[in-house]
Amino acid sequence: MTEATTFDVTLVHDNWPEKQAGYFAALAADPPTGFEFSPKIWGHYPGITGSREARTRFHAIASVVAEVAQKHGVLLNDAGVEKPQEWCGDDWNQRITAHLLLMAAHRAPYCGLTLEDLVGFLRSTAPAQARMGPGTDAPVEGGRTPS
């Protein structure tokens, strides 16, 4: 098992759709331990900054997202990634992955999708999971993994 590390985490609400200040009142009054709320992170967005101990950056972000959602009913939908298509290294890539999942969780209800739809979509990729990750980009005959 990987040892826990402390990760800096910034989560914001990108203000689409725009939320009134009252939406964030409980979070502002009682952010997670080790975090501070600001109505204007990066000069624009309401959110929190702080640090969280976890196995990976992804798990640190997930832990804070879960705590805020459970305690305050607020989904902070942005992990501070401007260009999610730019992959740089494991730590940054985990932040990008969390960012994209937050975007999906936030936008799904606005286009008629449920959490179950999202989970089902992710689970539908399971047959290809064995062929993903470092060193797995070689072409396979007929598009299928040899048995």
Side-chain angles (χ1 to χ4, degrees):
M1 178 167 215
T2 305
E3 194 173 305
T5 304
T6 300
F7 295 94
D8 290 333
V9 175
T10 298
L11 295 168
V12 302
H13 186 278
D14 73 4
N15 232 10
W16 183 91
E18 187 172 353
K19 300 289 187 190
Q20 299 301 315
Y23 179 78
F24 303 102
L27 176 59
D30 186 24
T33 301
F35 283 78
E36 291 183 16
F37 177 85
S38 172
K40 293 198 180 256
I41 292 180
W42 305 312
H44 301 284
Y45 308 113
I48 57 174
T49 58
S51 58
R52 178 63 53 104
E53 201 171 276
R55 186 167 49 101
T56 67
R57 178 170 302 281
F58 182 86
H59 291 94
I61 292 169
S63 169
V64 177
V65 166
E67 183 178 339
V68 170
Q70 290 169 356
K71 192 171 184 180
H72 304 295
V74 171
L75 176 62
L76 296 169
N77 61 9
D78 189 315
V81 176
E82 272 190 62
K83 297 179 180 180
Q85 71 277 14
E86 295 181 1
W87 290 83
C88 302
D90 287 346
D91 191 59
W92 183 250
N93 295 345
Q94 288 184 14
R95 184 173 171 186
I96 290 170
T97 302
H99 176 83
L100 293 171
L101 289 170
L102 286 171
M103 287 178 63
H106 172 251
R107 294 176 185 207
Y110 291 97
C111 58
L113 298 172
T114 66
L115 180 59
E116 289 76 22
D117 293 328
L118 295 178
V119 170
F121 180 86
L122 289 173
R123 288 192 190 288
S124 75
T125 69
Q129 289 292 313
R131 294 205 56 236
M132 294 180 187
T136 60
D137 296 327
V140 176
E141 276 186 49
R144 297 179 55 88
T145 304
S147 24

